Amino acid sequence: MDKIEGNDENIFIPTKSLNNSSENIDDLLNELDNPYTEDQVFRIALQHNQQENHEEVVEFCNEFLKNNNGTSRIHNIMAISHNALNENDEAIFHFNKAHKLDINNIEIIDNLGTIYRVQKDFKKALECYNLALSKDPNNINIILNVSSALEKLNL
């Protein structure tokens, strides 16, 4: 996992789907089918994200979503980019979409909690963190996030 900082909070981005981290965007674009597959869109969006081209991620994924159903990976990477652009409402929208498509993905749930924490909605953040913790009770990052949210709520 890599992390990207936005709004002074860390959002974790998935990197395991990228076959070779040295791939560049031009190489990936040359491989694209027409129409693009979800995997191709995700790989290019991930490259843009790692290069901090967050507007490109949003634009590229939005084009894909015009003619395709979204997947949790596409909505998650869009949410991460919206977060980096300080567009929290859009980030929440896409994290929620990603969560609905993959309800057991703790990284998405944790990311959603982090956005709520950024917005100082510690109650919603704690709900997300507790849900993530119920799915992975030994995850130290989530345990720390639960602790942080409880501290903010003075519990």
Side-chain angles (χ1 to χ4, degrees), residues 8-10 112-122 125 129 144-146 148-149 152:
D8 298 324
E9 298 291 335
N10 294 328
L112 183 57
T114 300
I115 292 294
Y116 285 130
R117 192 173 70 208
V118 166
Q119 291 190 322
K120 302 198 183 316
D121 190 341
F122 302 113
Y129 296 145
L144 292 172
N145 286 339
V146 167
S148 173
K152 296 293 186 180

Side-chain angles (χ1 to χ4, degrees), residues 45-144:
L46 186 57
Q47 281 294 320
H48 280 302
N49 193 302
Q50 290 171 342
Q51 295 174 6
E52 299 186 15
N53 297 328
H54 304 294
E55 293 91 356
E56 293 291 326
V57 172
V58 171
E59 184 179 330
F60 195 69
C61 291
N62 274 331
E63 282 299 312
F64 176 76
L65 290 174
K66 286 180 182 177
N67 298 311
N68 298 279
N69 292 326
T71 65
S72 63
R73 292 191 319 167
I74 297 296
H75 285 290
N76 190 46
I77 198 81
M78 285 183 72
I80 291 164
S81 289
H82 281 297
N83 173 69
L85 295 168
N86 294 316
E87 298 170 347
N88 290 334
D89 290 339
E90 287 294 317
I92 288 171
F93 173 81
H94 286 287
F95 279 136
N96 276 317
K97 289 242 310 179
H99 176 61
K100 287 178 185 171
L101 292 165
D102 189 358
I103 61 171
N104 292 315
N105 187 317
I106 62 165
E107 291 152 359
I108 292 169
I109 300 166
D110 187 47
N111 285 345
L112 183 57
T114 300
I115 292 294
Y116 285 130
R117 192 173 70 208
V118 166
Q119 291 190 322
K120 302 198 183 316
D121 190 341
F122 302 113
K123 215 174 205 179
K124 282 187 180 177
L126 185 59
E127 288 174 18
C128 291
Y129 296 145
N130 281 333
L131 178 60
L133 193 60
S134 73
K135 296 175 185 303
D136 187 0
N138 297 317
N139 187 311
I140 191 69
N141 289 327
I142 296 170
I143 292 168
L144 292 172

